[in-house]
Amino acid sequence: MVPRPCSVQAALAVIGEKWSLLAVRELAFGVHRFDSIVRNTGAPRDILTNRLRRLESAGVVEKRQYSEHPPRFEYHLTEAGSELRPVLLSLGQWGDRWAVDVPTVRFEHTCGEALELVHTCKACGGEVTGRDLKAEQLTSDWTSAA
Amino acid sequence: MVPRPCSVQAALAVIGEKWSLLAVRELAFGVHRFDSIVRNTGAPRDILTNRLRRLESAGVVEKRQYSEHPPRFEYHLTEAGSELRPVLLSLGQWGDRWAVDVPTVRFEHTCGEALELVHTCKACGGEVTGRDLKAEQLTSDWTSAA
DNA sequence: CCTAGTGGGTTGGAAAAGTCAACCCACATC
DNA sequence: GATGTGGGTTGACTTTTCCAACCCACTAGG
């Protein structure tokens, strides 16, 4: 029996390791230097080194040299990395509501207001609460063992 | 130096361990039995046992007994767990786009159409792309070491 | 010149987590 | 009586993670 082929699992294979998403969060927050990411996440240095390498080879992060002697690098989100922001936002909102007493981060939208994220269906425009949806496996050669 | 206090990190502390979110995915897909979750995720049995315990004590999952002799249980999402669906959706959509060649799961909204998720700002109704937002630390006693 | 600090790592060893295969028990089915 | 299922537990083994220390090239201060 083979596990369910799934884009959630594929995404987690890229950003699901411990510290990876926190590193992405820092980059999204505009923190680009190794030492700062270490301090702000609390990640061990060697692990962070490893994570940044993996994120880089997965195309989520890119290294930019800002000094030659000695060689020094900044880390930036690629387009793929940038598109993780909705993931961070929904995760943060869930955390605010269910895993934390007092909100610790305020996201501000360009409209000037505090961002409260609403997930809507592109087709009908209606809000997606999560309760009102079904999942259907597209890969025909896979059968769930329910 | 203390790490950044953050709801993303708080959320990850609850559902960020390996296999946890895949287990939640199965529950969201309507798979409620231990053996099926094992098969569909590929998680080792002992780890899954552990994860379900942790998710349960975090209030994301609840156990329901459906047989007495022998005692048998089903796992269901609580309200907190159910609200992880947007996280799964945005993660899945990111995976579809950046981590997988061919989409493997189709989500259908109650409107009957295939769900394509759009993230909008509740205040102005505009789409949130991720590029157009700022994060601000609310905890005043924390200073970023950028 | 000497010292301290910064940036981006690497190294080694100990502790924790994950993996795998086997086992268990209570029932149901054939 | 043999086989299967559901929901685990156990023990041995492997892999990750963690932590503290170290390194090197440079900069800034006195």
Side-chain angles (χ1 to χ4, degrees), chain A residues 3-13 135-139 142, chain B residues 21-22 25-26 29 40-41 88 91-93 95-96 99-100 102-107:
Chain A
R4 186 198 292 277
C6 168
S7 40
V8 172
Q9 122 72 31
L12 288 176
E136 182 193 339
Q137 209 65 27
L138 289 181
T139 6
W142 189 83
Chain B
L21 206 52
L22 290 182
R25 176 198 71 187
E26 289 305 310
F29 277 16
N40 293 347
T41 60
L88 285 174
L91 206 54
Q93 242 170 241
D96 262 355
V100 116
V102 173
T104 49
V105 182
R106 188 186 116 109
F107 288 98

Side-chain angles (χ1 to χ4, degrees), chain B residues 20-84:
Chain B
S20 294
L21 206 52
L22 290 182
V24 171
R25 176 198 71 187
E26 289 305 310
L27 301 181
F29 277 16
V31 174
H32 300 287
R33 310 272 248 247
F34 185 87
D35 267 29
S36 305
I37 301 175
V38 165
R39 276 192 295 274
N40 293 347
T41 60
R45 303 172 69 82
D46 49 354
I47 304 295
L48 185 66
T49 300
N50 178 291
R51 293 300 181 267
L52 288 172
R53 297 265 187 286
R54 287 176 53 67
L55 290 172
E56 190 189 0
S57 70
V60 173
V61 157
E62 60 181 6
K63 237 172 156 173
R64 290 187 201 157
Q65 190 154 17
Y66 69 92
S67 145
E68 290 206 47
H69 278 272
R72 285 286 117 70
F73 305 93
E74 284 184 337
Y75 296 91
H76 287 261
L77 293 178
T78 61
E79 195 194 343
S82 211
E83 293 201 6
L84 278 169

Side-chain angles (χ1 to χ4, degrees), chain A residues 106-116, chain B residues 121-124:
Chain A
R106 189 185 113 109
F107 289 96
E108 189 178 308
H109 191 230
T110 32
C111 72
E113 295 298 312
L115 177 64
E116 205 176 322
Chain B
C121 170
K122 188 171 186 178
C124 72

Side-chain angles (χ1 to χ4, degrees), chain A residues 33-34 45 49 53 66 72-73 75:
Chain A
R33 309 273 248 248
F34 186 87
R45 304 171 70 81
T49 300
R53 297 263 187 287
Y66 69 92
R72 287 283 123 47
F73 305 93
Y75 296 90

Side-chain angles (χ1 to χ4, degrees), chain B residues 101-116:
Chain B
D101 322 306
V102 173
T104 49
V105 182
R106 188 186 116 109
F107 288 98
E108 189 177 307
H109 191 230
T110 31
C111 72
E113 295 297 311
L115 176 65
E116 205 176 323

Side-chain angles (χ1 to χ4, degrees), chain A residues 42-109:
Chain A
R45 304 171 70 81
D46 50 351
I47 305 294
L48 185 66
T49 300
N50 178 290
R51 293 301 179 267
L52 288 172
R53 297 263 187 287
R54 287 177 54 68
L55 289 173
E56 192 189 358
S57 69
V60 174
V61 156
E62 61 182 5
K63 236 174 158 173
R64 291 187 201 157
Q65 189 155 17
Y66 69 92
S67 146
E68 289 207 48
H69 279 271
R72 287 283 123 47
F73 305 93
E74 284 183 338
Y75 296 90
H76 288 261
L77 293 178
T78 61
E79 195 194 344
S82 212
E83 293 202 7
L84 279 170
R85 263 178 259 230
V87 176
L88 285 174
L89 288 174
S90 44
L91 205 54
Q93 242 170 243
W94 187 88
D96 262 355
R97 190 142 147 62
W98 296 105
V100 116
D101 323 305
V102 173
T104 50
V105 182
R106 189 185 113 109
F107 289 96
E108 189 178 308
H109 191 230

